[in-house]
Amino acid sequence: TMARKYLITAAAAVCIIILASVPQCCQSFTAHATISKRRNASPHLQMIFRELVSNDEIDLRVSITSIQKKDDFEKFLQEDDRLCVIKFYAPFCKACKAFGKKFRKLAIDRGDPINSIGEVARHGDARFGEIDFSSKMVKELGIKKFPTVLIYRGSDKLSEITCKNDAIEKI
C-alpha cells in the first residue's frame, strides 16, 4: 500500500504539471490546488500545488503578436502609443533562431508578459510583433535580409536594424 500511495502521488504531480502548462486549464487547476490543502493530501503534493499556483509571475509567457496581413500590421501599429518592435524572420534561418531567443527575452523584459492563466502580468514599454518571411508584407516594406527589426511609434518608422549577434543592444 505504501508503494501504491507514492505511485498515486507521483501520478497526481505529473497531472498537476501538465495542467499548469496549459493556460486554459489553470482556473480548474487553482480549484484543485485548494482541494489539495485538505489533511489527507500528502505534504509533497501540497508543496507542488503551492509552488505551481503561487509562481505566476515567474512562469511568464511572452506576448509577441504574429502579423499575417497588411490590415493586421496597421492595427498593431495603431493599437496604442507605445513603441512597436517588429521582427522579420525566416524559420529555417539559423541567425533568425539565435536572434529569436534574444528577441523573446527582450519582449519579456520590455513588453507585456502573460502569466499562466493568460492575463497580462504587467504592461511594458513596447509591444512586440513578428512577421514570417513568406508574408507579402516583406516585399512591400522592402525587407531584404533576415532577421530584421523595424521600430515604429504609431505609423512613424523610427528605425530599421538588420540584426547580427550584437543587435539586441541597439534595439
Side-chain angles (χ1 to χ4, degrees), residues 32-170:
H32 290 296
T34 28
I35 292 169
S36 76
K37 292 179 182 174
R38 296 186 318 199
R39 274 187 276 156
N40 59 352
S42 75
H44 181 68
L45 193 55
Q46 288 178 10
M47 180 189 71
I48 291 171
F49 273 126
R50 266 187 269 144
E51 194 172 311
L52 288 173
V53 171
S54 66
N55 288 343
D56 277 349
E57 187 66 26
I58 293 170
D59 184 29
L60 296 177
R61 290 162 180 78
V62 66
S63 175
I64 299 177
T65 304
S66 179
I67 301 169
Q68 304 295 325
K69 302 177 197 165
K70 185 74 171 174
D71 291 341
D72 297 338
F73 180 69
E74 290 171 6
K75 285 178 190 174
F76 181 76
L77 294 179
Q78 300 304 323
E79 193 172 311
D80 61 29
D81 293 338
R82 294 183 289 167
L83 285 176
C84 297
V85 182
I86 303 166
K87 172 182 76 167
F88 292 82
Y89 72 101
F92 53 82
C93 167
K94 288 183 183 181
C96 295
K97 288 178 185 178
F99 179 75
K101 293 175 185 176
K102 294 177 182 179
F103 186 80
R104 186 175 170 78
K105 183 177 181 334
L106 181 66
I108 289 174
D109 293 344
R110 296 291 187 171
D112 299 339
I114 299 172
N115 64 20
S116 60
I117 57 174
E119 298 171 340
V120 174
R122 66 186 182 295
H123 290 285
D125 304 330
R127 289 181 301 110
F128 290 81
E130 61 186 10
I131 299 175
D132 188 284
F133 83 104
S134 62
S135 172
K136 292 178 184 177
M137 290 189 331
V138 171
K139 284 185 180 179
E140 289 175 20
L141 295 169
I143 305 299
K144 302 209 185 308
K145 294 182 181 180
F146 296 103
T148 294
V149 172
L150 299 182
I151 301 174
Y152 285 84
R153 184 175 303 271
S155 59
D156 299 329
K157 182 175 160 182
L158 302 177
S159 182
E160 179 174 335
I161 303 168
T162 301
C163 299
K164 296 180 180 168
N165 288 336
D166 63 344
I168 204 74
E169 286 81 23
K170 293 178 186 176

